[in-house]
Amino acid sequence: MTDRGAVVLIEQGKVACIRREKKGRVYYVFPGGKQEIGETIEQCAKREAFEELGVEVEVGELLTTVPFNGTQYYFFAKIIGGQFGTGQAEEFLESNGGTYLPLWLPISELDGKTVIPHEVITALKSYLI
């Protein structure tokens, strides 16, 4: 089991997600990935945002955690540099892993999409109320 760090970026009523299409299934995930040896979970989230989105972020408050093969940590973050959509994560380059498309998804449309894990959406809605 490995812990994972992820970011929740919100700008102008939209949240940054990665649209995945794999084996005919379309779903959305938050930018994040496995914690590497020697890094904090916050450093992991920051690194993954750069790898997957091409942006440097300032990691903020913890939104929620989700238990799944370890613990997944979801942090609010804000962009402080880089260019959204220019990430070069290894998995983006592997043709057998399906497609990865970074995008801004309107928060108002989250209920109509398959977002994994859904617990993050529930926590986000509670936070925004």
Side-chain angles (χ1 to χ4, degrees), residues 95-129:
S95 61
N96 64 351
T99 62
Y100 291 78
L101 177 64
L103 53 78
W104 291 100
L105 190 61
I107 293 171
S108 61
E109 294 180 18
L110 291 174
D111 283 333
K113 307 286 185 194
T114 302
V115 181
I116 300 172
H118 191 61
E119 294 92 335
V120 178
I121 300 305
T122 302
L124 182 58
K125 286 182 181 179
S126 295
Y127 185 87
L128 294 175
I129 292 176

Side-chain angles (χ1 to χ4, degrees), residues 11 20-21 28 37 75 82 86-88 92 99 110 116:
E11 288 188 4
R20 293 288 327 267
E21 188 169 340
Y28 300 82
I37 294 171
F75 295 93
T86 63
Q88 296 293 316
F92 287 24
T99 62
L110 291 174
I116 300 172

Side-chain angles (χ1 to χ4, degrees), residues 3-6 30-35 39 41 44-45 47-48 52:
D3 290 344
R4 300 173 64 84
F30 292 91
K34 293 180 183 178
Q35 183 179 19
E39 72 181 353
I41 200 66
C44 170
R47 175 182 52 76
E48 289 287 344
E52 295 187 351

Side-chain angles (χ1 to χ4, degrees), residues 8-117:
V8 178
L9 296 165
I10 299 173
E11 288 188 4
Q12 301 174 352
K14 298 178 181 179
V15 64
C17 290
I18 298 174
R19 182 184 185 273
R20 293 288 327 267
E21 188 169 340
K22 188 174 181 181
K23 298 180 182 178
R25 182 174 174 226
V26 175
Y27 58 97
Y28 300 82
V29 296
F30 292 91
K34 293 180 183 178
Q35 183 179 19
E36 294 181 355
I37 294 171
E39 72 181 353
T40 66
I41 200 66
E42 292 87 352
Q43 290 168 331
C44 170
K46 185 175 183 172
R47 175 182 52 76
E48 289 287 344
F50 184 74
E51 289 177 2
E52 295 187 351
L53 299 177
V55 295
E56 295 175 35
V57 299
E58 181 178 297
V59 174
E61 180 182 350
L62 178 67
L63 171 62
T64 192
T65 60
V66 178
F68 181 78
N69 292 333
T71 302
Q72 298 181 29
Y73 296 81
Y74 293 85
F75 295 93
F76 284 113
K78 69 177 183 176
I79 296 173
I80 58 172
Q83 183 175 354
F84 187 90
T86 63
Q88 296 293 316
E90 286 180 30
E91 60 267 24
F92 287 24
L93 308 175
E94 297 172 4
S95 61
N96 64 351
T99 62
Y100 291 78
L101 177 64
L103 53 78
W104 291 100
L105 190 61
I107 293 171
S108 61
E109 294 180 18
L110 291 174
D111 283 333
K113 307 286 185 194
T114 302
V115 181
I116 300 172

